[in-house]
Amino acid sequence: MRFSKAFFPTLKEAPAEAEVVSHRLMIRAGMIRRLAAGVYTLLPLGVRAQRKVEQICREELDRAGAQEVFLPTLNPAELWQKTGRWDVYGKELIRLKDRHGRDFCLGPTHEEVITNLVSREVRSYRDLPQNLYQIQTKFRDEIRPRFGIMRGREFTMKDGYSFDRDEKGAEESYGLMVEAYKRIFRRCGLTLGVAAADSGAIGGSFSHEFMVMADSGEEAISVCEKCGYSANVEKTPVEVTLPDNRGGELEKVHTPDAHTVDEVATFLDFPPEQVTKTLLYMVDDEPAALMIPGHRELNESKAKNALGAATLFLADAAVVERITKAAVGFAGPVGLEGVRIIADNSLKGRGGLVLGANETDHHYTGGEEGRDFRADVFADLIVAGEGDSCPECGEPMNIRRGIEVGHVFKLGCKYSEALDANFLDENGETKTIVMGCYGIGIGRTVAAAIEQNHDEDGIIWPTPIAPYHVDIILANMKDTVCREVAEKLYAALGGLGVEAVLDDRDERAGVKFKDADLIGFPYQVIVGPKGIKEGRLEVKSRKTGERDFLPLEGATEAVASRILGEIETFASA
RNA sequence: CGGGGCGUAGCGCAGCUUGGUAGCGCGCCUGCUUCGGGAGCAGGAGGCCGGAGGUUCAAAUCCUCUCGCCCCGACCA
């Protein structure tokens, strides 16, 4: 590509709306432009980077035995009604009607469509296993789109689905995908963490998130440096031990204006862990009181799982006031009627607790579980935090931030049952297909790569996903010898499979250097009069900033082998 | 949806408090000079001040409504 002809609209400044680095750089480098909230146009450089990631996905998934399909975006409502998700998915599902008034939605994911397909075509155990994937635009009317392409309402996703005869087969398929995913992200040049994830109502340990470690990540992961355990903080088991302070008297104390745990702890001069948080939730439309030690955070997904609940959200102030007959901030378990009490394991049989008194501006001290109140259920209800013990080896863990770029999930028979995806086994018995699903956010992977690889001047692409490999910079447009050399190099590199841009714009050298750094070409070949007179070409690595001076003779091959070799290294590592 | 904030030239912003001629930097166009890290000078184009209504002799500025966007929380690739 000739820069003079290219549609690479770079910007010196980023629009105010862009906050995170990847978003700012993608706009500045001319990769994306916003059309509406969470809806982005991909410009040529953006498309090329994304295509690279897609291609790596294809190669690795095909290698793992998966096959590419292409499912419709426009989905008839009936399929979604059959699995119940037409109702469950809520506002995130973009719904529309056709001219006849029939209901449709834009696919936010494709379990329904793919399972429907497979249920029609697969009849015998001989037809299994199958592993099908697609790379396609997904639509989710996110509550809050943000960070540019990282969380859009329309985005490109690789989604794959495996179909097996039994659990064992499904687990093998799952394992193959985990391996393929590791290779994919490694080839994209990403430093990755694989974390055990919450598998929700389905249970089991067969869900993993692929996290690109980055401070701007939206996910928190607990990591044990000692044994390598790693899991989403929501999934990490937490065991908190509270001091055993039984035997004290239950005493009501006046705590004016002390609503939060910190305020109460400070006011009464108690350590926060002895001040028990009682939170009122609506659990499947029934109010329930959830209790945890005051210094920790409630983990809603653990609570949901422990209760087998479908929905769980914080009760609003009106409900709290009705149940506790007090202002928000003074809820407690003592004398609370008609409400289930679910307490964190750490509270079992503990005493010396500070509890809300269900009376505005009052708390109890010396509360004791089992004596002053009784929890109906005990469970682990706490979000893992820095320093919590590793569930595997007991060492203190660290909390790190990550961007979820991939998620694999053993689905079991949830969709195959709902959509009658059955087959006949060797004995002629009807069996339900066991499924797995596997997703990769393509655009998000590109953005994550930028989060992980940039400096103050711009993007530093890992070579395998760079939109172009080399920028040939003509430092002086008037020098005809330089032009000739650059043109030859440009043509020759193309012939060797290197993707090159020739910056032949009538601009000063500084402008070209700045753009090259911003766009992030892994290499810049600088063709200027000085070097040419000495018979040498200057090659600059974007990553290290090192400059090599290569003899003109054989320079093309040297550049090509360096770049292609680098890509190879990522692939074979 | 709750909380916070912003809409003025392609981009970044000032002007608004205290109504009266719409401005700055970058970018863009023309010319001359310059030419290895976002050049200098000169000239120029570009604005229903997000939209609607109201107050006023007069509104970017004050009031009401509305739309859009961003940030913080619950969803997810």
Side-chain angles (χ1 to χ4, degrees), chain A residues 506-540:
Chain A
D506 189 15
E507 287 285 356
R508 296 162 61 90
V511 173
K512 299 186 181 185
F513 292 139
K514 288 289 183 191
D515 274 341
D517 287 345
L518 176 60
I519 292 170
F521 302 94
Y523 289 97
Q524 297 168 20
V525 176
I526 300 149
V527 185
K530 279 180 242 165
I532 296 302
K533 268 181 212 134
E534 296 165 15
R536 297 193 307 174
L537 272 185
E538 180 180 344
V539 179
K540 181 191 160 190

Side-chain angles (χ1 to χ4, degrees), chain A residues 58-86:
Chain A
R58 289 195 170 94
E59 288 172 17
E60 291 303 330
L61 292 167
D62 290 350
R63 182 215 288 258
Q67 300 159 80
E68 186 167 2
V69 295
F70 193 78
L71 306 169
T73 299
L74 196 60
N75 289 192
E78 299 97 271
L79 269 185
W80 288 76
Q81 285 157 349
K82 270 191 195 165
T83 59
R85 288 212 286 186
W86 183 259

Side-chain angles (χ1 to χ4, degrees), chain A residues 297-309:
Chain A
E297 266 177 75
L298 179 79
N299 185 331
E300 293 187 2
S301 83
K302 280 184 184 173
K304 212 161 155 180
N305 292 345
L307 297 169

Side-chain angles (χ1 to χ4, degrees), chain A residues 449-463:
Chain A
I450 296 171
E451 289 290 332
Q452 230 173 42
N453 302 282
H454 68 270
D455 62 15
E456 61 280 3
D457 293 319
I459 302 168
I460 306 175
W461 288 111
T463 308

Side-chain angles (χ1 to χ4, degrees), chain A residues 207-385:
Chain A
S207 175
H208 287 87
E209 291 171 335
F210 291 75
M211 297 285 188
V212 169
M213 297 305 170
D215 294 337
S216 59
E218 294 183 88
E219 303 294 325
I221 306 128
S222 49
V223 179
C224 174
E225 314 289 352
K226 177 103 178 290
C227 74
Y229 174 87
S230 132
N232 194 304
V233 287
E234 297 200 337
K235 161 87 179 179
T236 312
V238 178
E239 248 182 75
V240 170
T241 310
L242 293 181
D244 187 1
N245 292 330
R246 274 176 298 179
E249 295 254 322
L250 185 69
E251 193 180 340
K252 190 185 279 184
V253 293
H254 188 54
T255 53
D257 293 326
H259 300 259
T260 67
V261 167
D262 280 340
E263 285 165 3
V264 175
T266 308
F267 183 82
L268 295 175
D269 198 20
F270 268 89
E273 60 263 32
Q274 259 173 272
V275 179
T276 307
K277 250 187 237 182
T278 304
L279 298 163
L280 290 167
Y281 270 79
M282 297 303 291
V283 179
D284 289 339
D285 301 328
E286 291 286 322
L290 304 190
M291 299 180 63
I292 54 168
H295 63 312
R296 302 305 298 257
E297 266 177 75
L298 179 79
N299 185 331
E300 293 187 2
S301 83
K302 280 184 184 173
K304 212 161 155 180
N305 292 345
L307 297 169
T311 64
L312 180 142
F313 56 91
L314 207 52
D316 58 39
V319 173
V320 174
E321 284 164 18
R322 181 169 56 79
I323 293 171
T324 65
K325 301 176 183 70
V328 174
F330 301 96
V334 181
L336 204 59
E337 308 244 320
V339 177
R340 266 209 296 175
I341 297 175
I342 300 98
D344 183 70
N345 291 325
S346 61
L347 294 168
K348 191 168 197 170
R350 291 291 138 158
L353 303 171
V354 177
L355 306 166
N358 298 322
E359 185 181 332
T360 301
D361 290 342
H362 288 83
H363 281 80
Y364 286 115
T365 57
E368 204 167 301
E369 195 281 322
R371 184 190 71 184
D372 305 317
F373 68 96
R374 198 173 289 279
D376 299 294
V377 180
F378 287 99
D380 171 11
L381 296 178
I382 295 174
V383 180

Side-chain angles (χ1 to χ4, degrees), chain A residues 156 231 248 475 490:
Chain A
T156 308
Y490 175 53

